[in-house]
Amino acid sequence: MPDLHSSKTPDATTEQREETRSDATATGAAAPRPKCFLPWLTIVLRVLTGALFVLSGWAKAVDPWGSVFKIEEYFAAWGWYDFPHSLITVGAFLLGSYEFVCGALLMLGCYRRGSVTALSLLMLLMLPLSLYIAIENPVSDCGCFGDAFVISNTATFVKNVVICAALAYLLPFNKRVTTFVTTYAQWIVGGVLTLYILLIGLIGYNIQPLEDFRRFAPGTSLTGDSDDDDDAEETTSQMTFVYERDGEQRQFTLDNLPDSTWTFVDRLDSPDASASADLLTITDPDTGEDLTEEVLSTPGGPDLMLVTVPDIADVDLSATYLLNDLDDFVKARDGKLVMLAGVNATAADLDAWHDVSMSHYPIYRLDPKTIKELARGTSALVYVRDGEVVWKRTLNSIAYSTVTDTPADQLLEMLDPQPVKMLNYLTWATVVILAAVIMLDRTGHLVHIHLRRRRRARSEGKES
């Protein structure tokens, strides 16, 4: 007969563990702390590492189009030209939001194990990728901080090594340091941070980035100073223009352009085109002639409404109705405002666009990279006064009724998205909500501790 009581009797090892645990509890002894664990170092690494990811994620999320272009640049270097644009866009949103939210949670001490693990998994991908980029140099810069900070590929790899070292230290020790937020309120903090960064990204994608780190930000002159103009003139004189006649194509310089029997095809930038990198160059689509000075508004001249199209094939034809109404609004301003379009297209594409849209506004050719830096989106509107950018927004963000129903004297004000004010509202609202949540959470935690101590004191008084 088996002993029925033997299954309930703990073995010697279990008894020894329980006695050791009870002795440790009675004497108040804690588990031995590893010598390499330093609470102050853990907090410093938590804050610095989290802040780095917050900066990186915010710079990506505020300008989703920039992240999309950078991912497309990577894929083009690898020959992945047919990758769906929609998936690239989703990936750009997820990457920026992931870095920002996880970095902020790490800074605040929320999800102490989960936040470090999530960022460590990300670095398992980023570290070998940055090593490959540093060796092969497939792109000019990694884009880890968007357009806010541009660092070399080698510096990117070194940065990632330091981050991985910090995360490796935090993985076993971050849980040992206390948090600012209790477990019950962590999900609220994470939800608020996620909502904030997604709103920032959606506005940046559908209207324009709320913080513009590019070279044509609002308040920037499109013509530059006199020294830049001299450099631009010298660079333009070195450009090569491609013309065609009877199926034959030839290259000409600005000082040796052919006669009218030749048809303009394309303009080739010289190797020294970086000398005019901070300038906007507008060329005639038929001749390739530089018309920047003639087109851009000068001090005291009419304001300019510039339509930018980086790829004319991506523009919805329904936008032509909006553009024609804007053109009617411009012409009713009696010469105080002019409208033109800067596009990246061949002469044949422009002819087809004229036929379909029945446009009467002039269309010029702009470099596609310049268009993408000037304004984000498949098509956008840039308002220029005295040669300086005042505001910009995508055409898709302008409702047709806004142009047709808004009084003419209020339309320009209505079209200004005021990104600085919008960013301030969103950021301060998020800060206030987080501060309120943390304050209520800490207050409730302190009240709970106080009540627990009072209950313990009462129980000890009754026992005595």
Side-chain angles (χ1 to χ4, degrees):
M1 291 284 299
D3 187 359
L4 298 178
H5 297 284
S6 61
S7 60
K8 299 181 180 180
T9 303
D11 56 16
T13 305
T14 305
E15 290 179 352
Q16 186 178 3
R17 289 176 182 172
E18 290 180 353
E19 291 176 0
T20 304
R21 188 182 301 114
S22 61
D23 293 341
T25 304
T27 59
R33 187 177 70 177
K35 294 182 179 180
C36 58
F37 170 60
L38 300 174
W40 66 267
L41 179 59
T42 304
I43 294 176
V44 169
L45 289 179
R46 172 194 289 180
V47 172
L48 293 181
T49 306
L52 197 62
F53 278 104
V54 167
L55 176 61
S56 175
W58 191 88
K60 292 184 181 74
V62 77
D63 183 15
W65 280 103
S67 299
V68 169
F69 295 148
K70 178 56 64 176
I71 294 175
E72 289 178 341
E73 187 177 350
Y74 275 109
F75 287 178
W78 299 333
W80 300 354
Y81 297 102
D82 298 330
F83 205 87
H85 177 79
S86 57
L87 293 181
I88 294 177
T89 303
V90 172
F93 269 90
L94 290 179
L95 179 59
S97 302
Y98 187 95
E99 290 186 7
F100 177 84
V101 174
C102 292
L105 291 176
L106 178 62
M107 284 184 63
L108 296 174
C110 298
Y111 299 104
R112 289 171 290 176
R113 182 181 292 111
S115 59
V116 178
T117 303
L119 293 175
S120 299
L121 292 175
L122 177 65
M123 294 310 299
L124 286 178
L125 171 65
M126 293 301 176
L127 184 62
L129 178 61
S130 61
L131 176 60
Y132 160 76
I133 296 172
I135 296 174
E136 298 295 334
N137 197 36
V139 295
S140 57
D141 67 273
C142 69
C144 51
F145 294 107
D147 290 323
F149 302 101
V150 178
I151 60 177
S152 67
N153 292 333
T154 302
T156 299
F157 173 69
V158 174
K159 168 185 70 70
N160 287 345
V161 171
V162 174
I163 292 176
C164 288
L167 291 174
Y169 182 88
L170 290 173
L171 269 173
F173 299 136
N174 191 45
K175 185 70 174 178
R176 293 174 174 263
V177 180
T178 186
T179 176
F180 294 107
V181 185
T182 62
T183 306
Y184 305 102
Q186 289 181 141
W187 67 272
I188 301 178
V189 174
V192 172
L193 291 170
T194 303
L195 179 62
Y196 167 77
I197 202 64
L198 288 179
L199 283 175
I200 293 291
L202 288 173
I203 294 172
Y205 186 82
N206 292 297
I207 301 178
Q208 283 296 301
L210 295 181
E211 185 67 39
D212 199 336
F213 297 107
R214 294 158 291 164
R215 46 193 179 106
F216 299 119
T220 303
S221 174
L222 297 180
T223 56
D225 53 29
S226 57
D227 294 336
D228 291 334
D229 292 338
D230 294 339
D231 293 338
E233 183 177 354
E234 180 180 355
T235 302
T236 303
S237 64
Q238 300 174 359
M239 289 181 180
T240 302
F241 302 90
V242 181
Y243 283 80
E244 182 178 2
R245 185 178 66 180
D246 298 333
E248 178 188 3
Q249 291 188 357
R250 290 187 183 179
Q251 296 182 2
F252 301 88
T253 63
L254 186 63
D255 298 330
N256 187 29
L257 293 179
D259 54 37
S260 58
T261 60
W262 291 80
T263 302
F264 173 75
V265 177
D266 197 3
R267 184 194 70 180
L268 304 178
D269 290 337
S270 68
D272 298 328
S274 58
S276 60
D278 294 329
L279 301 180
L280 180 70
T281 303
I282 301 175
T283 58
D284 190 298
D286 296 323
T287 64
E289 181 183 359
D290 189 350
L291 302 176
T292 307
E293 293 185 2
E294 299 179 20
V295 171
L296 291 181
S297 56
T298 56
D303 293 351
L304 173 64
M305 190 175 286
L306 175 61
V307 180
T308 60
V309 181
D311 190 344
I312 203 168
D314 294 335
V315 181
D316 193 336
L317 292 179
S318 61
T320 60
Y321 299 102
L322 178 63
L323 291 176
N324 290 336
D325 284 337
L326 285 173
D327 187 36
D328 294 337
F329 164 77
V330 167
K331 290 178 179 177
R333 303 284 290 181
D334 297 329
K336 297 180 180 179
L337 178 65
V338 296
M339 175 177 166
L340 59 91
V343 303
N344 170 40
T346 63
D349 291 334
L350 292 181
D351 291 339
W353 177 265
H354 279 298
D355 293 338
V356 173
S357 65
M358 296 179 291
S359 59
H360 300 288
Y361 46 87
I363 299 179
Y364 300 95
R365 175 172 293 181
L366 289 179
D367 177 72
K369 183 178 179 181
T370 302
I371 297 176
K372 292 177 180 179
E373 289 191 87
L374 182 59
R376 297 305 198 194
T378 56
S379 57
L381 197 63
V382 181
Y383 195 82
V384 182
R385 179 180 295 125
D386 297 336
E388 291 187 358
V389 176
V390 179
W391 55 260
K392 44 183 138 174
R393 68 182 303 160
T394 61
L395 288 180
N396 293 334
S397 67
I398 303 175
Y400 184 77
S401 58
T402 301
V403 179
T404 57
D405 300 341
T406 305
D409 57 342
Q410 301 177 13
L411 180 58
L412 293 178
E413 184 178 355
M414 287 285 294
L415 292 178
D416 186 356
Q418 299 182 343
V420 175
K421 183 182 295 186
M422 194 180 304
L423 178 61
N424 288 337
Y425 283 157
L426 286 174
T427 302
W428 280 111
T430 302
V431 170
V432 169
I433 293 174
L434 289 177
V437 170
I438 294 175
M439 186 179 300
L440 292 173
D441 178 65
R442 298 310 298 175
T443 302
H445 183 62
L446 293 176
V447 170
H448 174 70
I449 293 176
H450 176 70
L451 294 177
R452 187 173 59 182
R453 288 178 177 176
R454 289 188 61 181
R455 286 194 300 268
R456 182 182 301 171
R458 288 178 182 177
S459 62
E460 290 176 355
K462 290 180 180 180
E463 291 177 358
S464 62

